[in-house]
Amino acid sequence: MGKIIAICNHKGGVGKTTTSINLGASLAHLKRKVLLIDLDPQGNSSRGLGVDISLINKTIFDALILDCDILKIIRKSAMKNLEVVPSNLKLSNLESEIISKNSAKPFELLKNLMIYVKNKYDYILIDCPPSLGILSLNALVAADSVLVPIQCEYFAMEGLAQVLATIKNVQSKYNQALQVEGFLLTMFEPRSKLGNEVVEQVRKYFLENTYHTIIPRNISLSEASAKGLPSILYRPNSAGTLAYNQLAKEIIQNEKSK
């Protein structure tokens, strides 16, 4: 049975989508079967895996609201063992559609879809939007754990309390089994005094849950996404690729040690 990991932080630009794409690709490289669910209306994870979101007819929105078979929406990527449930701007209408349908359990829509895919994959990664609204809440209710990317820059810790409060709220009301998978330090520049201070601060307060792996600021990660490829297929020996490979190994090892 696959493990569902929501990649969540309400701040934008912290590396959620980059992590979703490249962690998924690195897990697939290690022969794990991976499904990436793009839950962001911007559709950047879909585009980063080569899906033209302007041309697709069915997205995660159709599965959530229109009862479309999620298995028929899944698209292959250029990476063996990595598939994606795409998204586009239609998903921004989710909340109004839920209100109009008067859904009794609006936070369990994604959870209800997981029964169709959980046994088919080793890992299911959910790329959340930069908010703590209904989409991210659906991800947290459906997930087994949550991975929180933290950018190694000024104000990195600001708002983290809000993310943790949301996780605690979901645990108490909707998903008691939800765990913190880990805090991932991203966009690290080793020569930056501030970046090193952020690393030290995060590890001081969240030592047990912070990954040993740190993701560096690396231009290859951005270039790869722009070309619709995971970094491992674009520049397999780049610092960004090697870091995500190490993160994938760390996540697998942590799973084995539990």
Side-chain angles (χ1 to χ4, degrees):
M1 184 175 289
K3 183 170 190 178
I4 304 171
I5 303 175
I7 298 174
C8 181
N9 188 327
H10 70 292
K11 293 186 71 174
V14 298
K16 288 187 298 294
T17 295
T18 299
T19 295
S20 299
I21 293 169
N22 292 293
L23 172 58
S26 290
L27 288 168
H29 177 69
L30 294 172
K31 302 189 179 350
R32 269 59 178 186
K33 193 167 185 186
V34 182
L35 178 66
L36 172 53
I37 297 177
D38 190 347
L39 211 62
D40 187 341
Q42 297 178 86
N44 289 335
S45 279
S46 305
R47 286 187 289 204
L49 288 176
V51 178
D52 187 338
I53 63 173
S54 66
L55 298 179
I56 53 178
N57 294 319
K58 302 292 185 183
T59 69
I60 185 63
F61 175 85
D62 298 275
L64 291 168
I65 293 296
L66 303 178
D67 299 321
C68 182
D69 184 353
I70 190 171
L71 297 176
K72 294 182 179 179
I73 299 172
I74 294 171
R75 299 292 189 96
K76 293 185 181 299
S77 75
M79 186 83 195
K80 184 180 179 182
N81 294 325
L82 176 59
E83 298 178 331
V84 59
V85 178
S87 170
N88 60 21
L89 282 174
K90 280 199 301 184
L91 192 57
S92 61
N93 298 322
L94 182 76
E95 189 162 359
S96 60
E97 290 287 342
I98 287 174
I99 292 170
S100 67
K101 291 183 75 171
N102 196 26
S103 175
K105 295 184 177 181
F107 302 135
E108 295 187 4
L109 298 175
L110 185 60
K111 178 182 177 181
N112 294 335
L113 294 178
M114 292 300 94
I115 59 174
Y116 302 106
V117 296
K118 194 163 186 178
N119 291 330
K120 299 180 182 295
Y121 298 89
D122 297 306
Y123 289 93
I124 299 171
L125 306 181
I126 307 172
D127 183 17
C128 297
S131 72
L132 293 175
I134 197 164
L135 288 167
S136 291
L137 287 174
N138 262 272
L140 294 175
V141 172
D144 298 309
S145 62
V146 53
L147 187 158
V148 183
I150 302 173
Q151 186 179 6
C152 294
E153 291 193 358
Y154 198 56
F155 292 137
M157 300 294 287
E158 186 180 88
L160 188 55
Q162 189 177 350
V163 176
L164 294 174
T166 300
I167 293 170
K168 189 173 182 179
N169 183 52
V170 170
Q171 289 170 328
S172 64
K173 292 183 178 179
Y174 308 108
N175 184 1
Q176 293 182 353
L178 181 66
Q179 297 181 334
V180 174
E181 181 72 23
F183 298 99
L184 176 65
L185 294 155
T186 65
M187 303 182 191
F188 176 65
E189 294 184 8
R191 290 175 291 181
S192 164
K193 180 181 178 182
L194 178 60
N196 282 283
E197 288 175 353
V198 171
V199 171
E200 184 178 341
Q201 194 173 16
V202 171
R203 288 195 164 149
K204 176 182 176 181
Y205 290 105
F206 307 108
L207 178 62
E208 291 184 2
N209 291 111
T210 302
Y211 292 110
H212 295 295
T213 303
I214 298 177
I215 308 301
R217 185 178 292 279
N218 182 241
I219 190 63
S220 293
L221 294 172
S222 300
E223 290 176 348
S225 292
K227 293 183 179 295
L229 292 171
S231 182
I232 197 169
L233 293 181
Y234 176 65
R235 285 192 179 151
N237 295 315
S238 70
T241 298
L242 296 176
Y244 277 110
N245 286 346
Q246 189 59 42
L247 176 64
K249 291 175 184 176
E250 190 172 347
I251 286 174
I252 292 170
Q253 187 58 44
N254 288 349
E255 197 70 24
K256 288 179 179 179
S257 63
K258 289 180 180 178

